[in-house]
Amino acid sequence: MSVIEVYADVWCPFAHVGLHTVIDRRRQLEREDMVLRVRAWPLELVNGVPLDPATTNEHVNELRTQVAPNLFAHFDLDHFPHTSLPALALAAAAYRKGDHAGEAVSLALRDALFEKGQDISHPGVLARIAEEYRVASSSEDLDAVVAEWHQGQSRGVKGSPHFICASAEAFCPSLDISKDHDGHLRMRRNTQALDQFLQVCFPLAK
């Protein structure tokens, strides 16, 4: 089994696009032996404040319009979480069961927020996901979130999402991102850069 590590936060819309892009590419290449180990990069600890809902909503609209019309189906600004730490702890608990369980919960949490419009800081939402995947988080999982953040700092993580595999690493490899003269983001898909990164992780042809 090949493992790609990804440092990312649950409420980061760029990570949502990046993870789904890699999952889609994995399916196209028929490489289900590759798994994503999504490690915590809690932006509220990195930046010292939670994500701004209005700014995140702007990024969601930019991503949906420019590169991901199939994502963010029911994103609801009124249900934006006030913290991502409990959700990251639940993902950490799932990874204690194994990489496949951890990946599944990591994606389910992001889909709950960005595709279903659910507040993933709400205990009821987290409880439903925990029950579905038969996981339960504890204080040690919150400690694991903080530990992964510090580990990411020591590894030179640049932001969310930051992919690492073998001797390669890349920040948000599936997107080219720039700003126009008004400060608005301009984005386009970059499948060539993604495939170059994936080629280091595992052979693209069976």
Side-chain angles (χ1 to χ4, degrees), residues 39-184:
R39 299 195 180 277
W41 187 248
L43 292 171
E44 64 197 276
L45 300 183
V46 173
N47 300 324
V49 292
L51 283 190
D52 175 55
T55 300
T56 304
N57 185 57
E58 181 179 347
H59 291 331
V60 164
N61 290 330
E62 291 167 334
L63 286 161
R64 184 195 291 124
T65 301
Q66 298 178 40
V67 297
N70 59 319
L71 295 178
F72 307 104
H74 298 290
F75 176 69
D76 187 348
L77 186 58
D78 292 334
H79 291 95
F80 193 74
H82 65 274
T83 177
S84 68
L85 295 179
L88 291 170
L90 184 60
Y95 273 109
R96 285 196 283 108
K97 291 184 64 176
D99 283 329
H100 290 290
E103 179 189 294
V105 170
S106 293
L107 295 174
L109 287 164
R110 289 166 171 84
D111 286 347
L113 171 60
F114 290 117
E115 306 304 328
K116 300 176 183 178
Q118 297 175 355
D119 178 358
I120 57 169
S121 65
H122 191 283
V125 173
L126 292 174
R128 286 193 294 272
I129 295 174
E131 181 179 6
E132 180 179 355
Y133 291 94
R134 299 180 180 180
V135 297
S137 61
S138 64
S139 59
E140 68 178 279
D141 297 306
L142 188 55
D143 291 340
V145 168
V146 175
E148 286 191 343
W149 167 44
H150 290 314
Q151 180 192 61
Q153 289 176 312
S154 68
R155 300 176 77 179
V157 169
K158 297 177 181 177
S160 174
H162 191 115
F163 290 74
I164 300 174
C165 180
S167 60
E169 60 177 272
F171 172 67
C172 207
S174 62
L175 295 175
D176 283 337
I177 304 174
S178 61
K179 288 186 178 181
D180 63 20
H181 63 279
D182 293 321
H184 299 297

Side-chain angles (χ1 to χ4, degrees), residues 4-8 12-22 41 59 63 67 72 156-164 168-178 185-195 197-198:
I4 295 178
E5 296 178 90
V6 190
Y7 283 85
C12 172
F14 301 98
H16 185 58
V17 172
L19 292 173
H20 272 283
T21 301
V22 172
W41 187 248
H59 291 331
L63 286 161
V67 297
F72 307 104
V157 169
K158 297 177 181 177
S160 174
H162 191 115
F163 290 74
I164 300 174
E169 60 177 272
F171 172 67
C172 207
S174 62
L175 295 175
D176 283 337
I177 304 174
S178 61
L185 294 184
R186 291 291 175 259
M187 293 169 281
R188 68 178 182 87
R189 293 278 190 180
N190 192 339
T191 55
Q192 182 179 4
L194 176 61
D195 279 354
F197 171 76
L198 294 176

